[in-house]
Every structure is written in C-alpha cells, then in structure tokens.
Amino acid sequence: IQNFLGRKLSDLVEPAKFKEVSSRYLRVLESREIQTFDEEIEGPGGTVYLSTTLVPILPKEDQPAKIVAISRDITRLKRTERALREEMK
C-alpha cells in the first residue's frame, strides 16, 4: 500500500490504459458519486482481476479534489465462475 499513497495516476497506470482509467476518475469527480467497476490487469503471473471502487473526496474551498481508489483482488472468484460455466456446458 505504501508504494501507492500520494502517487499520481499517471505513475501507476500503464500508458496504454491511462486514457481509459483517467476517464473513469473524471466521471467520479464530475458525478460526485462512488463508482465500482471490474478490471483485468496483465501481470507477469497472468491475468489479475480487480474490483475497484472510486470514492470522490469533495474539496473544501481552495483545495483540489481527490479520489480514494480501493481495489480488491477477485481473481479467484472470476476463475471459479469461469470453471462453473464450463461445467454447466
């Protein structure tokens, strides 16, 4: 967790996905609503599935808006769902 605190989004997201991810962040700021979505990330060990919740932190006067991002690894759940669908065929 410490590696991510206070870092810019552009430092954390690969360039190919930056536009997609940053547009989600902008929608959260514009709507001022919490949003949750699932995403796939390719890593050295294969695909990792995350459920990410974005929470807007509304600014006080003269302060920039911020977003808290909470991601949960749901890889095991996604693999189990896929296996069950295959069994049902």
Side-chain angles (χ1 to χ4, degrees), residues 24-37:
R24 288 183 183 146
Y25 278 63
L26 285 174
R27 281 195 304 268
V28 167
L29 289 175
E30 290 170 355
S31 70
R32 298 175 161 233
E33 295 179 357
I34 296 170
Q35 295 186 18
T36 300
F37 57 92

Side-chain angles (χ1 to χ4, degrees), residues 35-61:
Q35 295 186 18
T36 300
F37 57 92
D38 292 349
E39 59 186 326
E40 295 179 28
I41 297 175
E42 293 301 324
T47 303
V48 175
Y49 297 91
L50 299 173
S51 176
T52 299
T53 299
L54 301 178
V55 182
I57 305 299
L58 303 178
K60 295 180 182 176
E61 193 172 317

Side-chain angles (χ1 to χ4, degrees), residues 7 9 12 15-16 21-22 44 48-49 52 58 63-64 66 72 82:
R7 302 221 9 230
L9 183 62
L12 301 172
V21 173
S22 62
V48 175
Y49 297 91
T52 299
L58 303 178
Q63 291 183 336
K66 296 179 182 172
R72 184 171 60 99
R82 184 180 320 128

Side-chain angles (χ1 to χ4, degrees), residues 48-88:
V48 175
Y49 297 91
L50 299 173
S51 176
T52 299
T53 299
L54 301 178
V55 182
I57 305 299
L58 303 178
K60 295 180 182 176
E61 193 172 317
D62 298 328
Q63 291 183 336
K66 296 179 182 172
I67 295 176
V68 173
I70 304 162
S71 294
R72 184 171 60 99
D73 186 343
I74 58 169
T75 304
R76 184 181 294 171
L77 172 66
K78 291 291 190 179
R79 288 179 180 159
T80 300
E81 287 175 347
R82 184 180 320 128
L84 288 172
R85 277 195 302 274
E86 290 298 318
E87 272 186 36
M88 294 176 71

